[in-house]
Amino acid sequence: MARINSLAELTAYKNAALAGVSKYLANDSEQTIIYVGMATCGIAAGAEAIFDALNDEVKKQGLQNVVVVPTGCAGKCYAEPLVEIKKPNADSVFASGITADTARKIVSEYLANGTGDYILPNKGYGKQVRIALRNCGIIDPTKIEDYIAVGGYEALAKALTQLGRGGVVDEMKKSLLRGRGGAGFPTGLKWEFGYKNDEPKKYIICNADEGDPGAFMDRSILEGDPHNVLEAMAIAGFAVGAAEGIFYIRAEYPLAVERLYAAIAQAEELGLLGENIMGTGFDFKLSISLGAGAFVCGEETALLNSLEGKRGEPRLRPPFPAQKGLWGLPTINNNVETYANVPAIITRGADWFKSIGTEKCPGTKVFALAGKINNVGLVEVPMGTSLRDIVYEMGGGLPNGKAFKAIQTGGPSGGCIPAQHIDMGVDYESLGSIGSMMGSGGMIVMDEDDCMVNIAKFYLDFTMEESCGKCTPCRIGNTRLYEILDRITKGKGSEADIEQLKELGQVIKNTSLCGLGNSAPNPVLSTVNFFLNEYLTHVNDKKCPAGACKDMVRYVITDKCIGCGICARNCPVNCIHPTQQTLPNGKFLHAINQDQCVKCGECLPKCPPKIKAIIIE
């Protein structure tokens, strides 16, 4: 491929792509497009075989105006493997959970005469506004032609040829884009620190060390639209005067890493990365560094230590990375989603961006919905969207008709928000006001069967394990918090323990070195605040209302037992046996040996639904 040396050549390349390999992306395209989700979630569900079957059947049928496109994640992870069919001048339809055989029928039956009971309506996620995810599920992420066809690298060209370094910084400041990695620091202000620093060598870093359980926003962006982030990093490098950028990405994301390497090579070949970009004299080189899976390395200064070959431990601040970062040089570090907003802001303007969301928190936020929710997946909504809309309209509500109890936002260090706040709009200030946080965007939904004391213990176990151990409040304090929670969930707690949880949790928040320690007590403090009655029931009545704390529950067979023995046959530890008591049907009443029972709960669903002889005490 020939190098692109100017905006005019970029425009010519775009037009050629829309007339050739990427013509299905043209507004007036007459092609029928079959999109196949080929991100990690889709591939794990069998999308590769479906993609091959669709292509093979299109060739067999001799369909000249049908194109099969491998894309990234469209967000509907609950429906994988997912195929989207877009006919000219018609709304998209979807086929979910299909096989290779069904894929062939889509071509031979649906495309031929519109029949097929495997076609689903385009449901859910209706209130999305997609900025960071705007190309995911739309373009082939392995082809730079597709990215350029939808306007890719035009923002970089605008920055280089029209705005200039100061103009880019001013536009980013005006946009009020806040960091989407969790802290919410103004991106433009951070870039201004780098811009005004006189050091001749500076660095741009992309933090792709996404470690929150249940969070997969950054992975999906990199798998579905890698050039978007490359372009943004080049814009950042130009604005602050940096010639080198580094991706710090989890080694556990092999597909994202593979697509990043390919995207960098493609951009360098076209002269959109590397030396003398678009003939402007601006040089910017990108490299990739694989993280070793330490959760704390998501904290920006621990990440810097890791890049330097040191232990992944946070540094004291100030100085801040924009002043003295990697190798002691000015370093701008933003996460994947933050960068994913930048090209759209530069292309469409700060005023457009500020027209979305709230006054203090413009734009959108990508959330990963997981837990007790029907539509597990990704949604991107304007800041200020209510939790109710996210959970029920886009998330499809809770399965099995269960009642919504709480939602945790912000990953394992986020707070648990109760049902009484479900109409709250989601933004940085609102979440912080009730003891939670935005974090990177994970949302875990809990229903009536969840024990909030046990939930707090679960998340604290994670953050305690992932603590780097450098500072005493986090290393020792969170261990003590966990020990108190463990006592309570085993029926050995007291009301004094609850007071100690609150006091110790606040000390850890106020005195820890980095964000991991500062936020680790959030699940504990928020559940004590909103679900105090559950704690009191645990310590005073020695009961777990939800039946989730195994040491506090007993599985008991009542006199409804009909002696069928199904529970005994399914008990993994053989602790259910017939007694000497004869039942009216001639069989024997069964009982559970409480000393042998491991509280696994396998017997409960095995008891015939019409009988329901087993209860939890």
Side-chain angles (χ1 to χ4, degrees):
M1 292 185 284
R3 284 178 58 93
I4 294 173
N5 294 309
S6 65
L7 176 58
E9 290 185 11
L10 179 66
T11 302
Y13 190 96
K14 174 181 179 179
N15 292 335
L18 287 171
V21 294
S22 305
K23 64 181 179 180
Y24 55 86
L25 293 170
N27 292 329
D28 58 352
S29 174
E30 296 181 357
Q31 290 183 302
T32 291
I33 314 166
I34 305 177
Y35 294 107
V36 184
M38 299 280 278
T40 294
C41 49
I43 291 173
E48 288 177 318
I50 290 166
F51 178 78
D52 291 340
L54 287 166
N55 265 319
D56 185 60
E57 194 64 27
V58 166
K59 290 177 183 176
K60 275 187 179 180
Q61 299 291 333
L63 302 177
Q64 300 298 318
N65 244 12
V66 176
V67 58
V68 184
V69 181
T71 71
C73 177
K76 299 173 185 285
C77 302
Y78 68 94
E80 296 288 2
L82 183 68
V83 169
E84 178 182 355
I85 305 151
K86 178 71 172 67
K87 292 183 177 181
N89 304 313
D91 292 334
S92 293
V93 295
F94 294 86
S96 169
I98 63 174
T99 64
D101 288 339
T102 312
R104 292 183 181 278
K105 291 180 180 178
I106 288 174
V107 177
S108 61
E109 295 179 5
Y110 177 73
L111 293 186
N113 53 33
T115 60
D117 56 8
Y118 38 77
I119 299 299
L120 302 175
N122 187 354
K123 66 169 186 174
Y125 294 13
K127 287 190 176 180
Q128 286 200 84
V129 175
R130 291 163 69 92
I131 300 176
L133 298 176
R134 63 192 178 278
N135 297 324
C136 293
I138 302 297
I139 66 172
D140 181 345
T142 67
K143 291 182 178 178
I144 193 171
E145 296 92 343
D146 272 22
Y147 183 64
I148 292 176
V150 295
Y153 291 103
E154 290 178 6
L156 177 58
K158 181 179 179 180
L160 294 173
T161 62
Q162 298 179 35
L163 295 180
R165 292 180 58 204
V168 172
V169 172
D170 288 344
E171 197 70 14
M172 293 306 299
K173 285 179 64 179
K174 185 180 176 183
S175 75
L176 302 181
L177 171 67
R178 297 171 66 169
R180 299 307 197 236
F185 190 81
T187 303
L189 186 58
K190 181 184 288 189
W191 289 18
E192 186 177 50
F193 293 153
Y195 169 67
K196 291 184 175 180
N197 196 303
D198 294 330
E199 283 283 353
K201 186 172 179 61
K202 306 172 188 179
Y203 290 98
I204 299 295
I205 290 178
C206 178
N207 183 348
D209 192 55
E210 184 176 51
D212 290 1
F216 46 96
M217 300 77 60
D218 292 353
R219 171 176 63 79
S220 294
I221 291 171
L222 294 177
E223 290 177 354
D225 194 16
H227 284 283
N228 184 27
V229 184
L230 302 187
E231 181 180 11
M233 291 181 71
I235 292 169
F238 172 69
V240 307
E244 185 174 346
I246 303 171
F247 261 100
Y248 187 90
I249 184 171
R250 295 171 63 83
E252 297 91 336
Y253 284 176
L255 184 61
V257 172
E258 175 188 326
R259 290 182 178 173
L260 275 176
Y261 272 120
I264 290 172
Q266 291 171 349
E268 287 178 342
E269 187 174 358
L270 283 179
L272 299 173
L273 286 178
E275 296 180 357
N276 193 23
I277 295 174
M278 295 192 209
T280 62
F282 170 57
D283 301 336
F284 189 72
K285 181 181 179 181
L286 269 174
S287 61
I288 295 174
S289 179
L290 302 183
F295 179 68
V296 73
C297 286
E299 195 278 333
E300 64 176 354
T301 61
L303 183 154
L304 296 177
N305 275 344
S306 177
L307 280 174
E308 293 177 0
K310 304 171 185 174
R311 281 178 62 94
E313 296 178 333
R315 303 174 180 178
L316 285 170
R317 295 180 294 181
F320 294 95
Q323 302 164 312
K324 190 176 181 181
L326 187 64
W327 309 115
L329 297 170
T331 303
I332 299 300
N333 186 349
N334 291 115
N335 87 317
V336 171
E337 187 184 341
T338 307
Y339 283 123
N341 283 275
V342 170
I345 292 172
I346 297 300
T347 301
R348 304 188 67 174
D351 290 336
W352 162 79
F353 187 76
K354 288 195 294 184
S355 70
I356 303 165
T358 66
E359 183 178 354
K360 291 184 178 180
C361 298
T364 60
K365 181 70 187 77
V366 181
F367 294 106
L369 300 180
K372 308 287 186 67
I373 194 160
N374 284 312
N375 297 347
V376 173
L378 295 178
V379 296
E380 183 174 3
V381 296
M383 289 284 191
T385 301
S386 73
L387 285 169
R388 182 183 296 277
D389 281 345
I390 294 171
V391 171
Y392 285 99
E393 181 164 338
M394 284 164 270
L398 283 66
N400 305 316
K402 295 288 185 176
F404 172 83
K405 186 173 188 177
I407 185 169
Q408 190 193 33
T409 65
S413 302
C416 296
I417 302 171
Q420 70 199 64
H421 289 295
I422 195 170
D423 290 308
M424 181 188 72
V426 178
D427 58 48
Y428 293 95
E429 283 73 27
S430 297
L431 292 174
S433 70
I434 59 171
S436 191
M437 63 182 189
M438 185 78 72
S440 61
M443 283 191 172
I444 310 295
V445 178
M446 289 158 269
D447 68 14
E448 59 196 80
D449 294 332
D450 285 303
C451 167
M452 302 313 296
V453 184
N454 200 47
I455 287 289
K457 177 183 169 184
F458 170 80
Y459 285 116
L460 192 64
D461 181 46
F462 176 85
T463 50
M464 181 181 68
E465 180 69 24
E466 293 294 338
S467 170
C468 72
K470 184 173 183 178
C471 73
T472 302
C474 183
R475 181 182 71 251
I476 303 299
N478 283 318
T479 301
R480 297 289 90 85
L481 274 183
Y482 182 85
E483 290 170 353
I484 296 170
L485 286 171
D486 191 51
R487 246 190 344 260
I488 293 174
T489 58
K490 289 180 176 177
K492 301 175 183 178
S494 66
E495 289 196 29
D497 284 328
I498 301 175
E499 292 305 311
Q500 193 171 4
L501 285 175
K502 292 191 285 187
E503 182 180 354
L504 181 55
Q506 201 59 53
V507 169
I508 296 168
K509 281 181 68 70
N510 294 338
T511 58
S512 291
L513 176 60
C514 79
L516 188 151
N518 297 149
S519 59
N522 282 341
V524 180
L525 296 174
S526 62
T527 52
V528 169
N529 182 29
F530 291 120
F531 300 95
L532 179 60
N533 285 339
E534 284 196 32
Y535 280 85
L536 292 173
T537 302
H538 279 70
V539 300
N540 293 332
D541 301 336
K542 309 301 179 187
K543 289 184 178 180
C544 173
C549 299
K550 292 184 177 180
D551 292 283
M552 303 183 72
V553 301
R554 297 172 73 246
Y555 290 87
V556 176
I557 299 177
T558 68
D559 56 9
K560 292 182 179 180
C561 177
I562 59 174
C564 65
I566 294 176
C567 58
R569 292 194 293 275
N570 284 279
C571 177
V573 294
N574 196 32
C575 73
I576 303 177
H577 305 283
T579 66
Q580 298 299 314
Q581 182 178 340
T582 305
L583 297 170
N585 61 4
K587 296 183 179 181
F588 295 96
L589 179 73
H590 283 58
I592 300 174
N593 185 323
Q594 297 298 330
D595 293 332
Q596 294 179 340
C597 179
V598 294
K599 318 293 177 64
C600 67
E602 283 296 311
C603 57
L604 195 64
K606 295 297 188 292
C607 187
K610 292 183 179 180
I611 307 302
K612 293 184 179 179
I614 302 177
I615 62 171
I616 300 176
E617 288 186 345

